[in-house]
Amino acid sequence: MDNARVQLRRLDEDLTAALLDAAVADADPAEVMPAVPGPPGWTADRRAAFLAFHHEWAATPTTYAILVADRVVGAARLQPAPEAPDDALEAGLWIGRSHRGQGIGHAVVALLRTEAKSQGATRIVASTTETNTAAQRLLTTAGADLHHRPTPDPNGDTIEATLDVD
């Protein structure tokens, strides 16, 4: 993937609507938002909850739509890390299924590193589940140190990552 084709744009109203379209077309709700009770799939309630969740995130200055060739394919965020030192920002991202495995995640991590550095951070922290081997591979390839933390999560224990921004 040509990294120049991957961009992060601050999430706004228009991009939030495009983000919902990308999620409905290319992701399971559990991959991109907190759980909402009800039948599986993109119900009207889940779509409304997705918009409400991302409208809240859009109010923060470090939530982004991931664009490839000007098309929204996922979302990323940087925020103060509640359980990490002051010089660390917590990162999160999701990419639609049909865009995975193309180097987009690596480009996004590089862009997040640059953004974190511009905000004065020296580290990025992230977490995933032990069953999300793709995220672990992405983080390891980027140079992150991974640490296993036992949790009662049905998706497995938590894997915590620390990545220097330099």
Side-chain angles (χ1 to χ4, degrees):
M1 168 67 52
D2 175 12
N3 286 359
R5 294 173 40 110
V6 179
Q7 298 177 320
L8 297 180
R9 289 201 193 142
R10 292 200 192 278
L11 198 58
D12 62 20
E13 197 71 30
D14 292 335
L15 288 173
T16 301
L19 189 60
L20 173 60
D21 292 342
V24 169
D26 215 13
D28 184 88
E31 297 172 325
V32 299
M33 62 182 283
V36 174
W42 284 102
T43 63
D45 286 346
R46 274 204 191 84
R47 290 171 191 242
F50 179 94
L51 289 173
F53 176 74
H54 284 85
H55 282 294
E56 183 178 321
W57 280 109
T60 68
T62 54
T63 302
Y64 310 93
I66 301 169
L67 287 86
V68 175
D70 294 322
R71 181 174 171 221
V72 176
V73 300
R77 67 173 165 71
L78 282 173
Q79 68 186 49
E83 297 178 14
D86 290 341
D87 64 342
L89 291 174
E90 182 179 53
L93 71 101
W94 67 265
I95 298 169
R97 290 178 180 167
S98 68
H99 299 282
R100 296 174 189 166
Q102 299 175 28
I104 296 167
H106 295 287
V108 169
V109 169
L111 292 168
L112 289 174
R113 276 179 141 155
T114 300
E115 181 60 28
K117 187 174 184 175
S118 77
Q119 293 182 35
T122 62
R123 292 177 268 199
I124 293 173
V125 295
S127 64
T128 189
T129 61
E130 69 181 345
T131 57
N132 191 341
T133 57
Q136 291 175 55
R137 204 169 30 257
L138 171 64
L139 291 163
T140 300
T141 301
D145 293 322
L146 302 183
H147 304 279
H148 180 268
R149 183 169 52 96
T151 59
D153 189 321
N155 291 315
D157 289 344
T158 297
I159 303 297
E160 296 177 340
T162 303
L163 178 65
D164 291 333
V165 297
D166 290 327

